[in-house]
Amino acid sequence: MGAGSVPKLNSTHSNVNEDKKKAAHTTNLGDSSAAPMIAGKKGSGGGQTQNQHLAKCPFLASEGKKWPKPKIRKRVPLSTMRGTHVISKGTKDLLKDIGGGGRIRSMCTRFYAKAFKDSVLSKFMFETDDAKAHGKRLGDWIVEKMGGEGKPWTESGRYGLRQESHYNAWWSNKREPEKLGQRFKLDDCRIWMRLMFWAAREEGLAEHKPFWSWYCDFIRHFIRVYERTAPPYTQESADWSCKEGNLKEYVAGGRDMKEVIGFHVKKKEDPFQFFT
C-alpha cells in the first residue's frame, strides 16, 4: 500500500508487472486500482531530499475524539468482480459507520509518520512533503475504493500516476546503490503491512470489528499486486501490533524489523497476478 511511497515482490527484492500508546506520531498492473505503496503527488518529478518530514498527524484533532458507536455488526465482505475490486453498498456504509473519510486519512497520516522513521520504508520516500500530505493521498485512494464520498483520488489528478510514483521510489537516492531500481519485495511488503495495521489500530479502527475484518481482506487483496507471496502474511502483519512487546522491541532496535528483512520465499507462476 506512500503518498509518495507504498509494497511489492519476492526473493531479496522481486519484480512486479506487483509505534501501546498513541504518542509516537512520531502502481497500473493493468489499471490504477492498486493501492499506492508510495503515493506520489501530482506532477512529482521524483525530487529527492534527505529530510524526513516527521510531522504530527494533522488530523489528530481526532486524538481523544469519540467516534460514533458502530451500527454495523455483521461482516462486510470484500467485493470483487472477476478478480477486480469493486465498490459495494457495504463498503459505503462501512466508511460512514467509522466516521467518514477523515478517519481513513488520519490512519494513513499515522502510517506515514511511522514509515518516515522506518529503516527500510524511509529509503523509498522521494517526495519532499510531509506525513499529512502523504496520508491524504493514500487516504483519498482508500476512500475512493470504499465509495460514498465521491472520487477524491481521481479528481485530484493522480489517477494513473501510481507506476510513476513507484518507479521514483525504486530509484530513490536514499536506497543502497545495489538496490537502486529493485522493486518492492516480500520483506518490504510485510513491513508496510505491519506499520499500516499499527496505524489503523492506533486510530481505534481495530475496535470496529466489521471494518477490521474488511480491511484485512482489502490489504490482502491489493498487496498481491506488489508481491505475489505477500498475502499469506496479512494476518500476521495485522496481529503484530497488538503485542506491546513487539512495538517496544521495534522502536528500541532502531525501527528495524530484523526478523523480516531479507526473508523471501520462492514464487510459483500465478495466472492471476495481474488481477486487482
Side-chain angles (χ1 to χ4, degrees):
M1 334 157 183
S5 350
V6 193
K8 226 167 177 151
L9 305 206
N10 104 337
S11 234
T12 253
H13 278 330
S14 53
N15 68 3
V16 203
N17 279 28
E18 300 183 79
D19 179 309
K20 173 174 168 196
K21 199 169 179 180
K22 294 179 180 177
H25 288 355
T26 359
T27 131
N28 194 291
L29 290 185
D31 64 15
S32 292
S33 64
M37 253 182 91
I38 307 293
K41 57 188 178 184
K42 180 182 179 182
S44 68
Q48 307 282 341
T49 179
Q50 288 304 106
N51 296 322
Q52 295 181 3
H53 301 281
L54 307 176
K56 268 193 174 183
C57 173
F59 299 101
L60 292 193
S62 69
E63 197 72 275
K65 178 177 179 179
K66 291 186 177 181
W67 296 101
K69 186 175 181 179
K71 295 180 179 179
I72 297 177
R73 301 294 182 184
K74 295 183 179 180
R75 177 179 178 276
V76 175
L78 185 77
S79 184
T80 62
M81 182 177 292
R82 295 179 180 177
T84 297
H85 175 271
V86 294
I87 294 171
S88 69
K89 181 180 183 302
T91 56
K92 292 179 181 180
D93 292 345
L94 196 56
L95 180 61
K96 182 178 180 180
D97 206 50
I98 65 171
R103 198 168 183 191
I104 296 294
R105 296 181 182 96
S106 176
M107 171 189 73
C108 292
T109 299
R110 291 176 184 273
F111 163 74
Y112 278 108
K114 300 178 188 305
F116 279 131
K117 295 179 180 181
D118 183 78
S119 67
V120 172
L121 299 190
S122 62
K123 296 175 184 176
F124 286 112
M125 306 296 179
F126 63 91
E127 291 287 13
T128 59
D129 49 10
D130 59 13
K132 174 182 179 180
H134 279 70
K136 184 180 186 304
R137 291 194 288 270
L138 177 55
D140 283 350
W141 181 84
I142 296 175
V143 168
E144 185 165 319
K145 285 298 179 186
M146 296 188 75
E149 293 190 10
K151 296 186 174 182
W153 168 262
T154 298
E155 294 171 358
S156 71
R158 298 188 300 275
Y159 186 87
L161 296 180
R162 183 166 53 89
Q163 282 186 321
E164 179 183 343
S165 294
H166 289 166
Y167 178 87
N168 289 333
W170 302 332
W171 287 95
S172 168
N173 61 18
K174 299 176 186 176
R175 302 188 72 191
E176 298 85 347
E178 67 275 14
K179 292 184 179 180
L180 277 178
Q182 289 184 346
R183 303 184 181 197
F184 304 120
K185 304 295 180 140
L186 176 58
D187 49 359
D188 302 322
C189 293
R190 291 181 64 188
I191 293 168
W192 188 91
M193 287 195 291
R194 284 182 173 191
L195 297 189
M196 196 70 197
F197 284 118
W198 182 9
R201 195 179 295 280
E202 274 191 344
E203 188 62 28
L205 289 168
E207 298 169 21
H208 192 299
K209 302 307 180 184
F211 174 83
W212 190 252
S213 176
W214 173 83
Y215 192 57
C216 287
D217 289 342
F218 179 78
I219 295 299
R220 183 182 293 110
H221 175 83
F222 281 104
I223 201 67
R224 187 178 197 173
V225 174
Y226 305 97
E227 172 48 68
R228 300 201 303 272
T229 64
Y233 296 91
T234 304
Q235 193 60 55
E236 181 276 338
S237 297
D239 294 343
W240 177 80
S241 54
C242 74
K243 298 179 180 180
E244 189 173 6
N246 288 339
L247 307 184
K248 288 182 177 180
E249 181 179 1
Y250 169 66
V251 174
R255 296 178 185 266
D256 190 27
M257 297 189 192
K258 298 178 179 65
E259 74 282 9
V260 169
I261 297 173
F263 178 83
H264 304 284
V265 297
K266 185 175 181 180
K267 287 190 297 187
K268 296 180 180 180
E269 279 304 314
D270 181 356
F272 303 107
Q273 62 177 300
F274 298 115
F275 284 83
T276 59

